[in-house]
Amino acid sequence: EPEVTQTPSHQVTQMGQEVILRCVPISNHLYFYWYRQILGQKVEFLVSFYNNEISEKSEIFDDQFSVERPDGSNFTLKIRSTKLEDSAMYFCASRDSASGTQYFGPGTRLLVL
Amino acid sequence: GEDVEQSLFLSVREGDSSVINCTYTDSSSTYLYWYKQEPGAGLQLLTYIFSNMDMKQDQRLTVLLNKKDKHLSLRIADTQTGDSAIYFCAETTTGGGNKLTFGTGTQLKVEL
């Protein structure tokens, strides 16, 4: 069964460094998403992406964040200058257009020191 | 804005039924979902219901939707220790980016 994959599974970085989180969505899906979950808190929407552009973003998704689909398979989230409060689990999801259902990857746990 | 609320904890004995409840505020919600998260793992889609349905059954899982009260529930029959996890309800509306708004999550503990 096709699934969403994410790399790396864990990332430790120093405050102020740039990180790129990678996702490979399910191949015939057209809508892609990033969410994050700070430890012990709700899963929060960051951004949705369709047809090579952002379709919606949350207040969290400020100028430090960017997304890109650099080729036909990858979908990336870049955090330009990480802050301590960016430490969280970051989930990528892709959406089946027929059912509207979002399928999630296993997540990348980001720790900013 | 949209808000989704759940109780934080539920403890049941193995073999009993579990009922996890969720309330939401967005009356334009079109799809409502239940996801399961095991410790350290991602979000596994369990089931979903379209807003024009009252009930959906899928093996041990039964979803009930009361659209008037904006109340969603997930019943797990014959609960097993492997069902211990955090269960999130989520809602979405059509249009825009179709983002999911998640509840706080309910930690289900299944005791022997």
Side-chain angles (χ1 to χ4, degrees), chain A residues 31 33 35 37 41-43 45 48 55-56 89 91 95 98-107 109, chain B residues 3-5 31 33 35 37 40-45 48 88 92 95-104:
Chain A
Y31 297 82
Y33 304 82
Y35 294 82
Q37 185 182 31
Q41 296 187 24
K42 282 189 185 188
V43 178
F45 167 76
S48 59
S55 49
E56 189 175 357
M89 181 77 99
F91 292 107
R95 180 161 71 97
S99 70
T101 305
Q102 291 183 32
Y103 293 87
F104 283 76
R109 186 172 294 283
Chain B
D3 194 23
V4 182
E5 296 293 333
Y31 285 96
Y33 299 86
Y35 285 87
Q37 186 181 37
L43 296 163
Q44 175 196 351
L45 176 68
Y48 65 94
F88 290 94
T92 190
N98 292 97
K99 68 178 184 184
L100 287 172
T101 300
F102 281 84
T104 46

mmCIF file of all heavy atoms in Angstrom, chain A residues 31 33 35 37 41-43 45 48 55-56 89 91 95 98-107 109, chain B residues 3-5 31 33 35 37 40-45 48 88 92 95-104:
data_model
loop_
_atom_site.group_PDB
_atom_site.id
_atom_site.type_symbol
_atom_site.label_atom_id
_atom_site.label_comp_id
_atom_site.label_asym_id
_atom_site.label_seq_id
_atom_site.Cartn_x
_atom_site.Cartn_y
_atom_site.Cartn_z
ATOM 1 N N TYR A 31 -2.396 17.302 -3.426
ATOM 2 C CA TYR A 31 -2.416 18.283 -2.347
ATOM 3 C C TYR A 31 -1.471 17.814 -1.260
ATOM 4 O O TYR A 31 -1.522 16.653 -0.853
ATOM 5 C CB TYR A 31 -3.832 18.419 -1.759
ATOM 6 C CG TYR A 31 -4.858 18.924 -2.734
ATOM 7 C CD1 TYR A 31 -5.478 18.056 -3.636
ATOM 8 C CD2 TYR A 31 -5.224 20.267 -2.750
ATOM 9 C CE1 TYR A 31 -6.428 18.515 -4.531
ATOM 10 C CE2 TYR A 31 -6.174 20.733 -3.635
ATOM 11 C CZ TYR A 31 -6.770 19.855 -4.525
ATOM 12 O OH TYR A 31 -7.723 20.317 -5.404
ATOM 13 N N TYR A 33 0.669 18.836 2.573
ATOM 14 C CA TYR A 33 0.505 19.598 3.804
ATOM 15 C C TYR A 33 1.697 19.375 4.731
ATOM 16 O O TYR A 33 2.319 18.308 4.712
ATOM 17 C CB TYR A 33 -0.755 19.132 4.561
ATOM 18 C CG TYR A 33 -2.020 19.206 3.757
ATOM 19 C CD1 TYR A 33 -2.364 18.193 2.851
ATOM 20 C CD2 TYR A 33 -2.888 20.286 3.887
ATOM 21 C CE1 TYR A 33 -3.512 18.264 2.101
ATOM 22 C CE2 TYR A 33 -4.055 20.358 3.140
ATOM 23 C CZ TYR A 33 -4.359 19.347 2.247
ATOM 24 O OH TYR A 33 -5.508 19.413 1.508
ATOM 25 N N TYR A 35 2.217 19.786 8.991
ATOM 26 C CA TYR A 35 1.655 20.028 10.306
ATOM 27 C C TYR A 35 2.787 19.882 11.314
ATOM 28 O O TYR A 35 3.811 19.249 11.032
ATOM 29 C CB TYR A 35 0.578 18.999 10.649
ATOM 30 C CG TYR A 35 -0.669 19.054 9.813
ATOM 31 C CD1 TYR A 35 -0.718 18.440 8.551
ATOM 32 C CD2 TYR A 35 -1.814 19.696 10.267
ATOM 33 C CE1 TYR A 35 -1.874 18.479 7.780
ATOM 34 C CE2 TYR A 35 -2.975 19.729 9.508
ATOM 35 C CZ TYR A 35 -2.991 19.126 8.268
ATOM 36 O OH TYR A 35 -4.134 19.164 7.506
ATOM 37 N N GLN A 37 3.545 19.156 15.719
ATOM 38 C CA GLN A 37 3.005 18.808 17.031
ATOM 39 C C GLN A 37 4.101 19.035 18.061
ATOM 40 O O GLN A 37 5.070 18.264 18.137
ATOM 41 C CB GLN A 37 2.545 17.348 17.056
ATOM 42 C CG GLN A 37 1.866 16.944 18.340
ATOM 43 C CD GLN A 37 1.476 15.471 18.347
ATOM 44 O OE1 GLN A 37 2.136 14.643 17.740
ATOM 45 N NE2 GLN A 37 0.414 15.145 19.058
ATOM 46 N N GLN A 41 1.136 18.575 22.887
ATOM 47 C CA GLN A 41 0.119 19.530 22.424
ATOM 48 C C GLN A 41 -0.610 19.003 21.185
ATOM 49 O O GLN A 41 -0.349 17.913 20.696
ATOM 50 C CB GLN A 41 0.768 20.883 22.138
ATOM 51 C CG GLN A 41 1.356 21.536 23.375
ATOM 52 C CD GLN A 41 1.845 22.943 23.107
ATOM 53 O OE1 GLN A 41 1.401 23.612 22.177
ATOM 54 N NE2 GLN A 41 2.779 23.413 23.926
ATOM 55 N N LYS A 42 -1.540 19.819 20.706
ATOM 56 C CA LYS A 42 -2.329 19.463 19.521
ATOM 57 C C LYS A 42 -1.460 19.418 18.274
ATOM 58 O O LYS A 42 -0.415 20.065 18.190
ATOM 59 C CB LYS A 42 -3.391 20.540 19.260
ATOM 60 C CG LYS A 42 -4.607 20.513 20.115
ATOM 61 C CD LYS A 42 -5.617 21.520 19.553
ATOM 62 C CE LYS A 42 -6.828 21.639 20.434
ATOM 63 N NZ LYS A 42 -7.897 22.440 19.836
ATOM 64 N N VAL A 43 -1.942 18.690 17.290
ATOM 65 C CA VAL A 43 -1.364 18.766 15.954
ATOM 66 C C VAL A 43 -1.878 20.056 15.312
ATOM 67 O O VAL A 43 -3.087 20.293 15.268
ATOM 68 C CB VAL A 43 -1.785 17.540 15.126
ATOM 69 C CG1 VAL A 43 -1.242 17.639 13.721
ATOM 70 C CG2 VAL A 43 -1.325 16.249 15.801
ATOM 71 N N PHE A 45 -1.892 22.817 12.025
ATOM 72 C CA PHE A 45 -1.688 23.026 10.598
ATOM 73 C C PHE A 45 -0.651 24.121 10.369
ATOM 74 O O PHE A 45 -0.678 25.165 11.022
ATOM 75 C CB PHE A 45 -3.028 23.420 9.971
ATOM 76 C CG PHE A 45 -2.946 23.959 8.577
ATOM 77 C CD1 PHE A 45 -2.741 23.118 7.502
ATOM 78 C CD2 PHE A 45 -3.080 25.319 8.347
ATOM 79 C CE1 PHE A 45 -2.682 23.629 6.216
ATOM 80 C CE2 PHE A 45 -3.023 25.838 7.074
ATOM 81 C CZ PHE A 45 -2.827 24.997 6.002
ATOM 82 N N SER A 48 -0.637 24.399 3.367
ATOM 83 C CA SER A 48 -1.076 23.475 2.329
ATOM 84 C C SER A 48 -0.546 23.956 0.986
ATOM 85 O O SER A 48 -0.320 25.163 0.785
ATOM 86 C CB SER A 48 -2.596 23.354 2.309
ATOM 87 O OG SER A 48 -3.196 24.619 2.090
ATOM 88 N N SER A 55 -1.582 27.148 -0.920
ATOM 89 C CA SER A 55 -3.004 27.451 -1.005
ATOM 90 C C SER A 55 -3.545 28.013 0.303
ATOM 91 O O SER A 55 -4.506 28.769 0.300
ATOM 92 C CB SER A 55 -3.817 26.232 -1.441
ATOM 93 O OG SER A 55 -3.480 25.101 -0.687
ATOM 94 N N GLU A 56 -2.927 27.664 1.410
ATOM 95 C CA GLU A 56 -3.322 28.238 2.692
ATOM 96 C C GLU A 56 -2.158 28.088 3.659
ATOM 97 O O GLU A 56 -1.405 27.114 3.573
ATOM 98 C CB GLU A 56 -4.556 27.522 3.264
ATOM 99 C CG GLU A 56 -5.155 28.178 4.478
ATOM 100 C CD GLU A 56 -6.447 27.517 4.951
ATOM 101 O OE1 GLU A 56 -6.926 26.562 4.305
ATOM 102 O OE2 GLU A 56 -6.976 27.967 5.993
ATOM 103 N N MET A 89 7.484 17.717 16.508
ATOM 104 C CA MET A 89 7.371 16.684 15.489
ATOM 105 C C MET A 89 6.697 17.333 14.296
ATOM 106 O O MET A 89 5.653 17.975 14.450
ATOM 107 C CB MET A 89 6.540 15.518 16.019
ATOM 108 C CG MET A 89 6.376 14.386 15.042
ATOM 109 S SD MET A 89 7.851 13.376 14.923
ATOM 110 C CE MET A 89 7.370 12.032 15.996
ATOM 111 N N PHE A 91 4.926 16.745 10.699
ATOM 112 C CA PHE A 91 4.266 15.730 9.880
ATOM 113 C C PHE A 91 3.964 16.291 8.496
ATOM 114 O O PHE A 91 3.453 17.404 8.361
ATOM 115 C CB PHE A 91 2.936 15.289 10.505
ATOM 116 C CG PHE A 91 3.071 14.534 11.783
ATOM 117 C CD1 PHE A 91 2.732 15.129 12.984
ATOM 118 C CD2 PHE A 91 3.518 13.222 11.792
ATOM 119 C CE1 PHE A 91 2.838 14.421 14.180
ATOM 120 C CE2 PHE A 91 3.626 12.505 12.970
ATOM 121 C CZ PHE A 91 3.291 13.106 14.178
ATOM 122 N N ARG A 95 -3.039 14.366 0.155
ATOM 123 C CA ARG A 95 -4.489 14.154 0.125
ATOM 124 C C ARG A 95 -4.929 13.458 -1.145
ATOM 125 O O ARG A 95 -4.541 13.841 -2.254
ATOM 126 C CB ARG A 95 -5.209 15.492 0.259
ATOM 127 C CG ARG A 95 -6.720 15.391 0.236
ATOM 128 C CD ARG A 95 -7.355 16.630 0.831
ATOM 129 N NE ARG A 95 -7.223 17.794 -0.014
ATOM 130 C CZ ARG A 95 -8.149 18.225 -0.858
ATOM 131 N NH1 ARG A 95 -9.256 17.539 -1.030
ATOM 132 N NH2 ARG A 95 -7.962 19.329 -1.545
ATOM 133 N N ALA A 98 -9.966 12.040 -4.505
ATOM 134 C CA ALA A 98 -11.269 11.386 -4.624
ATOM 135 C C ALA A 98 -12.003 11.361 -3.283
ATOM 136 O O ALA A 98 -13.165 11.721 -3.184
ATOM 137 C CB ALA A 98 -11.086 9.970 -5.164
ATOM 138 N N SER A 99 -11.318 10.937 -2.233
ATOM 139 C CA SER A 99 -11.983 10.807 -0.931
ATOM 140 C C SER A 99 -11.784 12.027 -0.050
ATOM 141 O O SER A 99 -12.489 12.207 0.936
ATOM 142 C CB SER A 99 -11.456 9.573 -0.180
ATOM 143 O OG SER A 99 -10.112 9.794 0.225
ATOM 144 N N GLY A 100 -10.828 12.871 -0.364
ATOM 145 C CA GLY A 100 -10.507 14.018 0.479
ATOM 146 C C GLY A 100 -9.711 13.662 1.714
ATOM 147 O O GLY A 100 -9.453 14.503 2.555
ATOM 148 N N THR A 101 -9.315 12.415 1.826
ATOM 149 C CA THR A 101 -8.625 11.955 3.030
ATOM 150 C C THR A 101 -7.143 12.294 2.988
ATOM 151 O O THR A 101 -6.491 12.099 1.963
ATOM 152 C CB THR A 101 -8.792 10.437 3.158
ATOM 153 O OG1 THR A 101 -10.187 10.125 3.134
ATOM 154 C CG2 THR A 101 -8.184 9.921 4.433
ATOM 155 N N GLN A 102 -6.629 12.763 4.112
ATOM 156 C CA GLN A 102 -5.197 13.059 4.215
ATOM 157 C C GLN A 102 -4.480 11.893 4.876
ATOM 158 O O GLN A 102 -4.898 11.389 5.921
ATOM 159 C CB GLN A 102 -4.967 14.337 5.021
ATOM 160 C CG GLN A 102 -5.441 15.582 4.283
ATOM 161 C CD GLN A 102 -5.148 16.854 5.023
ATOM 162 O OE1 GLN A 102 -4.160 16.979 5.752
ATOM 163 N NE2 GLN A 102 -5.993 17.856 4.815
ATOM 164 N N TYR A 103 -3.370 11.507 4.265
ATOM 165 C CA TYR A 103 -2.534 10.438 4.782
ATOM 166 C C TYR A 103 -1.224 11.040 5.266
ATOM 167 O O TYR A 103 -0.597 11.818 4.554
ATOM 168 C CB TYR A 103 -2.278 9.386 3.697
ATOM 169 C CG TYR A 103 -3.531 8.650 3.307
ATOM 170 C CD1 TYR A 103 -4.374 9.152 2.320
ATOM 171 C CD2 TYR A 103 -3.899 7.479 3.965
ATOM 172 C CE1 TYR A 103 -5.546 8.497 1.985
ATOM 173 C CE2 TYR A 103 -5.070 6.819 3.623
ATOM 174 C CZ TYR A 103 -5.888 7.336 2.639
ATOM 175 O OH TYR A 103 -7.054 6.701 2.316
ATOM 176 N N PHE A 104 -0.846 10.637 6.477
ATOM 177 C CA PHE A 104 0.293 11.251 7.126
ATOM 178 C C PHE A 104 1.544 10.378 7.046
ATOM 179 O O PHE A 104 1.472 9.148 7.085
ATOM 180 C CB PHE A 104 -0.020 11.509 8.606
ATOM 181 C CG PHE A 104 -0.899 12.704 8.808
ATOM 182 C CD1 PHE A 104 -2.255 12.643 8.529
ATOM 183 C CD2 PHE A 104 -0.367 13.903 9.263
ATOM 184 C CE1 PHE A 104 -3.069 13.762 8.705
ATOM 185 C CE2 PHE A 104 -1.173 15.016 9.436
ATOM 186 C CZ PHE A 104 -2.520 14.945 9.156
ATOM 187 N N GLY A 105 2.682 11.056 6.991
ATOM 188 C CA GLY A 105 3.946 10.369 7.127
ATOM 189 C C GLY A 105 4.259 10.110 8.594
ATOM 190 O O GLY A 105 3.519 10.548 9.481
ATOM 191 N N PRO A 106 5.368 9.412 8.857
ATOM 192 C CA PRO A 106 5.713 9.051 10.238
ATOM 193 C C PRO A 106 6.263 10.216 11.053
ATOM 194 O O PRO A 106 6.388 10.107 12.275
ATOM 195 C CB PRO A 106 6.783 7.971 10.063
ATOM 196 C CG PRO A 106 7.391 8.267 8.727
ATOM 197 C CD PRO A 106 6.305 8.840 7.879
ATOM 198 N N GLY A 107 6.593 11.323 10.397
ATOM 199 C CA GLY A 107 7.049 12.510 11.125
ATOM 200 C C GLY A 107 8.560 12.616 11.214
ATOM 201 O O GLY A 107 9.290 11.619 11.113
ATOM 202 N N ARG A 109 11.180 14.283 13.972
ATOM 203 C CA ARG A 109 11.291 14.946 15.281
ATOM 204 C C ARG A 109 12.459 15.912 15.227
ATOM 205 O O ARG A 109 13.607 15.489 15.065
ATOM 206 C CB ARG A 109 11.486 13.916 16.391
ATOM 207 C CG ARG A 109 11.448 14.556 17.769
ATOM 208 C CD ARG A 109 11.435 13.540 18.886
ATOM 209 N NE ARG A 109 10.217 12.733 18.930
ATOM 210 C CZ ARG A 109 9.057 13.144 19.403
ATOM 211 N NH1 ARG A 109 8.916 14.373 19.870
ATOM 212 N NH2 ARG A 109 8.027 12.329 19.413
ATOM 213 N N ASP B 3 -12.661 25.099 16.363
ATOM 214 C CA ASP B 3 -12.144 24.519 17.595
ATOM 215 C C ASP B 3 -12.682 23.110 17.708
ATOM 216 O O ASP B 3 -13.853 22.850 17.390
ATOM 217 C CB ASP B 3 -12.552 25.363 18.796
ATOM 218 C CG ASP B 3 -11.772 25.010 20.041
ATOM 219 O OD1 ASP B 3 -10.667 24.454 19.904
ATOM 220 O OD2 ASP B 3 -12.261 25.279 21.147
ATOM 221 N N VAL B 4 -11.823 22.202 18.167
ATOM 222 C CA VAL B 4 -12.208 20.802 18.342
ATOM 223 C C VAL B 4 -11.734 20.382 19.718
ATOM 224 O O VAL B 4 -10.566 20.583 20.057
ATOM 225 C CB VAL B 4 -11.561 19.911 17.254
ATOM 226 C CG1 VAL B 4 -11.997 18.470 17.421
ATOM 227 C CG2 VAL B 4 -11.932 20.412 15.859
ATOM 228 N N GLU B 5 -12.642 19.825 20.516
ATOM 229 C CA GLU B 5 -12.302 19.469 21.878
ATOM 230 C C GLU B 5 -12.564 17.990 22.146
ATOM 231 O O GLU B 5 -13.520 17.404 21.622
ATOM 232 C CB GLU B 5 -13.132 20.303 22.869
ATOM 233 C CG GLU B 5 -12.854 21.799 22.830
ATOM 234 C CD GLU B 5 -11.452 22.151 23.311
ATOM 235 O OE1 GLU B 5 -10.883 21.380 24.124
ATOM 236 O OE2 GLU B 5 -10.916 23.177 22.859
ATOM 237 N N TYR B 31 -16.018 16.874 6.438
ATOM 238 C CA TYR B 31 -15.502 15.556 6.778
ATOM 239 C C TYR B 31 -14.982 15.593 8.217
ATOM 240 O O TYR B 31 -14.376 16.575 8.629
ATOM 241 C CB TYR B 31 -14.329 15.161 5.875
ATOM 242 C CG TYR B 31 -14.716 14.754 4.472
ATOM 243 C CD1 TYR B 31 -14.680 15.668 3.432
ATOM 244 C CD2 TYR B 31 -15.096 13.440 4.196
ATOM 245 C CE1 TYR B 31 -15.024 15.291 2.153
ATOM 246 C CE2 TYR B 31 -15.439 13.055 2.911
ATOM 247 C CZ TYR B 31 -15.397 13.986 1.892
ATOM 248 O OH TYR B 31 -15.734 13.616 0.628
ATOM 249 N N TYR B 33 -12.783 13.087 10.985
ATOM 250 C CA TYR B 33 -11.850 11.968 10.945
ATOM 251 C C TYR B 33 -11.475 11.518 12.350
ATOM 252 O O TYR B 33 -11.505 12.293 13.304
ATOM 253 C CB TYR B 33 -10.540 12.408 10.255
ATOM 254 C CG TYR B 33 -10.699 12.867 8.839
ATOM 255 C CD1 TYR B 33 -11.030 14.183 8.546
ATOM 256 C CD2 TYR B 33 -10.509 11.988 7.787
ATOM 257 C CE1 TYR B 33 -11.173 14.615 7.242
ATOM 258 C CE2 TYR B 33 -10.646 12.408 6.476
ATOM 259 C CZ TYR B 33 -10.980 13.720 6.217
ATOM 260 O OH TYR B 33 -11.118 14.145 4.919
ATOM 261 N N TYR B 35 -8.007 9.726 13.912
ATOM 262 C CA TYR B 35 -6.640 9.254 13.717
ATOM 263 C C TYR B 35 -6.150 8.636 15.018
ATOM 264 O O TYR B 35 -6.526 9.069 16.107
ATOM 265 C CB TYR B 35 -5.711 10.417 13.349
ATOM 266 C CG TYR B 35 -5.843 10.918 11.928
ATOM 267 C CD1 TYR B 35 -6.784 11.893 11.606
ATOM 268 C CD2 TYR B 35 -5.029 10.431 10.914
ATOM 269 C CE1 TYR B 35 -6.908 12.363 10.304
ATOM 270 C CE2 TYR B 35 -5.145 10.893 9.609
ATOM 271 C CZ TYR B 35 -6.086 11.866 9.319
ATOM 272 O OH TYR B 35 -6.206 12.322 8.030
ATOM 273 N N GLN B 37 -2.628 7.599 17.198
ATOM 274 C CA GLN B 37 -1.194 7.846 17.308
ATOM 275 C C GLN B 37 -0.624 6.988 18.424
ATOM 276 O O GLN B 37 -0.943 7.208 19.603
ATOM 277 C CB GLN B 37 -0.901 9.324 17.570
ATOM 278 C CG GLN B 37 0.584 9.661 17.557
ATOM 279 C CD GLN B 37 0.864 11.117 17.834
ATOM 280 O OE1 GLN B 37 0.187 11.760 18.639
ATOM 281 N NE2 GLN B 37 1.866 11.672 17.159
ATOM 282 N N GLY B 40 5.457 7.692 19.955
ATOM 283 C CA GLY B 40 6.587 7.926 19.065
ATOM 284 C C GLY B 40 6.299 7.728 17.594
ATOM 285 O O GLY B 40 7.207 7.797 16.764
ATOM 286 N N ALA B 41 5.055 7.495 17.250
ATOM 287 C CA ALA B 41 4.713 7.170 15.855
ATOM 288 C C ALA B 41 3.909 8.285 15.208
ATOM 289 O O ALA B 41 3.563 9.278 15.844
ATOM 290 C CB ALA B 41 3.945 5.852 15.815
ATOM 291 N N GLY B 42 3.611 8.088 13.932
ATOM 292 C CA GLY B 42 2.851 9.064 13.177
ATOM 293 C C GLY B 42 1.365 8.919 13.399
ATOM 294 O O GLY B 42 0.907 8.225 14.310
ATOM 295 N N LEU B 43 0.601 9.559 12.547
ATOM 296 C CA LEU B 43 -0.855 9.579 12.654
ATOM 297 C C LEU B 43 -1.434 8.578 11.663
ATOM 298 O O LEU B 43 -1.284 8.716 10.460
ATOM 299 C CB LEU B 43 -1.387 10.989 12.341
ATOM 300 C CG LEU B 43 -0.946 12.051 13.330
ATOM 301 C CD1 LEU B 43 -1.132 13.433 12.751
ATOM 302 C CD2 LEU B 43 -1.734 11.920 14.625
ATOM 303 N N GLN B 44 -2.122 7.596 12.208
ATOM 304 C CA GLN B 44 -2.716 6.558 11.373
ATOM 305 C C GLN B 44 -4.205 6.848 11.211
ATOM 306 O O GLN B 44 -4.931 6.941 12.207
ATOM 307 C CB GLN B 44 -2.509 5.190 12.038
ATOM 308 C CG GLN B 44 -3.181 4.035 11.329
ATOM 309 C CD GLN B 44 -3.263 2.804 12.209
ATOM 310 O OE1 GLN B 44 -2.684 2.749 13.280
ATOM 311 N NE2 GLN B 44 -3.994 1.806 11.756
ATOM 312 N N LEU B 45 -4.652 6.982 9.970
ATOM 313 C CA LEU B 45 -6.068 7.201 9.731
ATOM 314 C C LEU B 45 -6.852 5.950 10.086
ATOM 315 O O LEU B 45 -6.560 4.861 9.602
ATOM 316 C CB LEU B 45 -6.310 7.553 8.258
ATOM 317 C CG LEU B 45 -7.774 7.704 7.853
ATOM 318 C CD1 LEU B 45 -8.385 8.924 8.496
ATOM 319 C CD2 LEU B 45 -7.901 7.777 6.332
ATOM 320 N N TYR B 48 -13.317 7.773 8.742
ATOM 321 C CA TYR B 48 -13.841 9.121 8.580
ATOM 322 C C TYR B 48 -15.318 9.038 8.249
ATOM 323 O O TYR B 48 -15.832 7.982 7.853
ATOM 324 C CB TYR B 48 -13.087 9.887 7.492
ATOM 325 C CG TYR B 48 -13.237 9.319 6.104
ATOM 326 C CD1 TYR B 48 -14.215 9.783 5.233
ATOM 327 C CD2 TYR B 48 -12.393 8.314 5.646
ATOM 328 C CE1 TYR B 48 -14.353 9.272 3.956
ATOM 329 C CE2 TYR B 48 -12.521 7.793 4.377
ATOM 330 C CZ TYR B 48 -13.494 8.265 3.537
ATOM 331 O OH TYR B 48 -13.616 7.749 2.267
ATOM 332 N N PHE B 88 -7.119 11.066 17.972
ATOM 333 C CA PHE B 88 -7.422 12.448 17.608
ATOM 334 C C PHE B 88 -8.636 12.489 16.693
ATOM 335 O O PHE B 88 -8.694 11.747 15.711
ATOM 336 C CB PHE B 88 -6.255 13.081 16.849
ATOM 337 C CG PHE B 88 -5.034 13.337 17.675
ATOM 338 C CD1 PHE B 88 -4.010 12.403 17.714
ATOM 339 C CD2 PHE B 88 -4.895 14.509 18.393
ATOM 340 C CE1 PHE B 88 -2.868 12.635 18.470
ATOM 341 C CE2 PHE B 88 -3.765 14.750 19.149
ATOM 342 C CZ PHE B 88 -2.752 13.802 19.190
ATOM 343 N N THR B 92 -12.533 18.991 8.719
ATOM 344 C CA THR B 92 -12.121 19.821 7.613
ATOM 345 C C THR B 92 -13.347 20.327 6.877
ATOM 346 O O THR B 92 -14.442 19.759 7.003
ATOM 347 C CB THR B 92 -11.194 19.058 6.643
ATOM 348 O OG1 THR B 92 -10.637 19.963 5.699
ATOM 349 C CG2 THR B 92 -11.942 17.986 5.884
ATOM 350 N N GLY B 95 -13.031 23.456 0.137
ATOM 351 C CA GLY B 95 -12.584 24.777 -0.291
ATOM 352 C C GLY B 95 -11.265 25.151 0.356
ATOM 353 O O GLY B 95 -10.878 24.614 1.386
ATOM 354 N N GLY B 96 -10.580 26.094 -0.253
ATOM 355 C CA GLY B 96 -9.280 26.509 0.265
ATOM 356 C C GLY B 96 -8.316 25.344 0.256
ATOM 357 O O GLY B 96 -8.320 24.528 -0.647
ATOM 358 N N GLY B 97 -7.516 25.245 1.277
ATOM 359 C CA GLY B 97 -6.523 24.187 1.325
ATOM 360 C C GLY B 97 -7.009 22.901 1.971
ATOM 361 O O GLY B 97 -6.260 21.948 2.039
ATOM 362 N N ASN B 98 -8.256 22.876 2.446
ATOM 363 C CA ASN B 98 -8.789 21.692 3.140
ATOM 364 C C ASN B 98 -7.928 21.276 4.324
ATOM 365 O O ASN B 98 -7.708 20.079 4.543
ATOM 366 C CB ASN B 98 -8.937 20.504 2.185
ATOM 367 C CG ASN B 98 -10.020 20.753 1.171
ATOM 368 O OD1 ASN B 98 -9.743 21.172 0.062
ATOM 369 N ND2 ASN B 98 -11.250 20.528 1.563
ATOM 370 N N LYS B 99 -7.460 22.244 5.077
ATOM 371 C CA LYS B 99 -6.635 21.903 6.232
ATOM 372 C C LYS B 99 -7.453 21.129 7.250
ATOM 373 O O LYS B 99 -8.671 21.262 7.352
ATOM 374 C CB LYS B 99 -6.103 23.177 6.881
ATOM 375 C CG LYS B 99 -7.201 24.006 7.523
ATOM 376 C CD LYS B 99 -6.646 25.230 8.196
ATOM 377 C CE LYS B 99 -7.781 25.971 8.913
ATOM 378 N NZ LYS B 99 -7.324 27.236 9.510
ATOM 379 N N LEU B 100 -6.758 20.311 8.034
ATOM 380 C CA LEU B 100 -7.383 19.593 9.141
ATOM 381 C C LEU B 100 -7.193 20.395 10.428
ATOM 382 O O LEU B 100 -6.112 20.909 10.695
ATOM 383 C CB LEU B 100 -6.739 18.223 9.325
ATOM 384 C CG LEU B 100 -7.068 17.153 8.287
ATOM 385 C CD1 LEU B 100 -6.200 15.927 8.499
ATOM 386 C CD2 LEU B 100 -8.536 16.773 8.345
ATOM 387 N N THR B 101 -8.261 20.476 11.197
ATOM 388 C CA THR B 101 -8.179 21.038 12.544
ATOM 389 C C THR B 101 -8.339 19.883 13.515
ATOM 390 O O THR B 101 -9.362 19.187 13.497
ATOM 391 C CB THR B 101 -9.264 22.095 12.781
ATOM 392 O OG1 THR B 101 -9.096 23.152 11.840
ATOM 393 C CG2 THR B 101 -9.155 22.666 14.186
ATOM 394 N N PHE B 102 -7.341 19.697 14.369
ATOM 395 C CA PHE B 102 -7.310 18.534 15.253
ATOM 396 C C PHE B 102 -7.818 18.881 16.641
ATOM 397 O O PHE B 102 -7.671 20.012 17.127
ATOM 398 C CB PHE B 102 -5.874 18.019 15.388
ATOM 399 C CG PHE B 102 -5.414 17.204 14.221
ATOM 400 C CD1 PHE B 102 -4.904 17.810 13.090
ATOM 401 C CD2 PHE B 102 -5.491 15.820 14.249
ATOM 402 C CE1 PHE B 102 -4.483 17.068 12.009
ATOM 403 C CE2 PHE B 102 -5.063 15.058 13.178
ATOM 404 C CZ PHE B 102 -4.563 15.684 12.050
ATOM 405 N N GLY B 103 -8.363 17.875 17.293
ATOM 406 C CA GLY B 103 -8.681 17.980 18.697
ATOM 407 C C GLY B 103 -7.442 17.783 19.550
ATOM 408 O O GLY B 103 -6.343 17.555 19.043
ATOM 409 N N THR B 104 -7.649 17.859 20.845
ATOM 410 C CA THR B 104 -6.548 17.770 21.797
ATOM 411 C C THR B 104 -6.007 16.353 21.924
ATOM 412 O O THR B 104 -4.917 16.143 22.422
ATOM 413 C CB THR B 104 -7.017 18.226 23.181
ATOM 414 O OG1 THR B 104 -8.278 17.603 23.464
ATOM 415 C CG2 THR B 104 -7.202 19.733 23.226
#
